Amino acid sequence: MKPRHYLREVRRFFKSLSEDNAYIISGLGRCGTTLMQYALIDSRGLIKSRRFLSRFSDEKKFVRGTLYKTHSSPPAILPPHVKLVFMFGDPMNAALSGYREFSTENDKHCQHIGASEVPDREDIFSRDVLMLEEHFDAWYQRQGFDFVSVRYETLYSEKTRSMLDEYLGFKLKLPPYRARRTDWRHHERSSELAATYAGLNARIEAAADCRIWLREG
């Protein structure tokens, strides 16, 4: 008799074969992209998943039933069968989370976001080395494809979940809510964070918690 987890994976595989869409999770680093990735896997049984795109040009077909993740700038266009979710959130918390998680010995995230350098970890407090502002400004506007933008801090709100379900075409199953560990306001260098990310924070605060963007043209 096959073990239960094996049978579950078989069912997921056949479900993914019948999936009509490909899915992309994009967003600012440390703003819920991994959480959204696993929520989609759980909701749709996307066994052919977890492919990371350093650049959109790395993928030509965007295979149906496959989930992609990226921190790249937006492409000019995407096929109509692609559903894309862009995650953003509090830039000071994102920066502080990056400070705690990344190191100069591990430059993978810097490669993923397209950074031209591997900065000193302490630079996160004085300049936007994680390119949060550049990525937010590039994404938070109409593109050549439909997508939905989601504020990480409101992901569990009824309104956000309703709009997400509307865009995706199915009910998204999120894991149980857990409060974020990071709160920049209680950090000893909070004033530096506030000063460095003030401009970006103002634009993010003015953004809609969840918005469905329809393609240009």
Side-chain angles (χ1 to χ4, degrees):
M1 185 175 180
K2 297 292 186 182
R4 184 175 299 175
H5 70 84
Y6 173 83
L7 296 175
R8 183 169 60 247
E9 291 304 302
V10 169
R11 286 194 295 269
R12 277 189 167 192
F13 174 72
F14 283 107
K15 184 176 181 180
S16 71
L17 291 179
S18 64
E19 177 62 59
D20 291 332
N21 299 306
Y23 299 89
I24 300 175
I25 307 302
S26 182
L28 309 186
R30 317 306 298 172
C31 285
T33 53
T34 299
L35 185 156
M36 181 60 69
Q37 177 186 24
Y38 286 107
L40 276 169
I41 290 172
D42 289 342
S43 299
R44 303 304 288 174
L46 301 172
I47 196 68
K48 301 178 296 181
S49 63
R50 307 183 193 185
R51 177 168 181 182
F52 190 88
L53 295 178
S54 295
R55 298 172 300 277
F56 276 94
S57 58
D58 292 341
E59 179 62 40
K60 302 300 182 185
K61 294 183 178 179
F62 292 101
V63 179
R64 299 173 194 271
T66 302
L67 175 64
Y68 302 85
K69 182 179 176 183
T70 187
H71 293 296
S72 176
S73 298
I77 195 169
L78 285 171
H81 71 275
V82 172
K83 296 280 189 176
L84 188 146
V85 180
F86 172 73
M87 301 292 300
F88 68 95
D90 185 307
M92 285 80 74
N93 275 339
L96 185 56
S97 179
Y99 175 77
R100 290 173 173 168
E101 295 294 330
F102 306 136
S103 68
T104 53
E105 290 75 31
N106 180 6
D107 63 352
K108 181 179 287 188
H109 184 73
C110 295
Q111 294 174 1
H112 286 170
I113 63 176
S116 60
E117 61 172 326
V118 181
D120 187 281
R121 187 163 166 260
E122 297 299 320
D123 288 347
I124 285 176
F125 291 96
S126 59
R127 58 193 182 98
D128 184 12
V129 297
L130 299 180
M131 300 172 63
L132 302 174
E133 185 168 22
E134 180 176 328
H135 285 161
F136 179 79
D137 288 348
W139 274 101
Y140 198 79
Q141 57 182 301
R142 291 180 69 190
Q143 308 289 345
F145 50 88
D146 298 345
F147 73 103
V148 62
S149 59
V150 180
R151 185 189 306 274
Y152 171 65
E153 290 83 4
T154 66
L155 179 57
Y156 284 80
S157 74
E158 183 177 346
K159 183 177 180 180
T160 294
R161 295 186 68 167
S162 176
M163 291 186 69
L164 259 174
D165 293 348
E166 176 187 348
Y167 171 74
L168 294 170
F170 58 85
K171 189 172 182 61
L172 183 70
K173 295 188 296 185
L174 292 172
Y177 173 77
R178 291 194 305 170
R180 187 167 192 162
R181 292 185 306 150
T182 305
D183 189 339
W184 70 274
R185 295 170 299 179
H186 303 312
H187 194 270
E188 59 185 5
R189 300 176 69 177
S190 59
S191 59
E192 293 179 66
L193 288 167
T196 298
Y197 299 95
L200 173 58
N201 185 54
R203 294 200 293 285
I204 285 181
E205 284 193 339
D209 292 338
C210 186
R211 177 174 176 177
I212 298 173
W213 301 77
L214 301 181
R215 72 193 69 188
E216 295 176 323

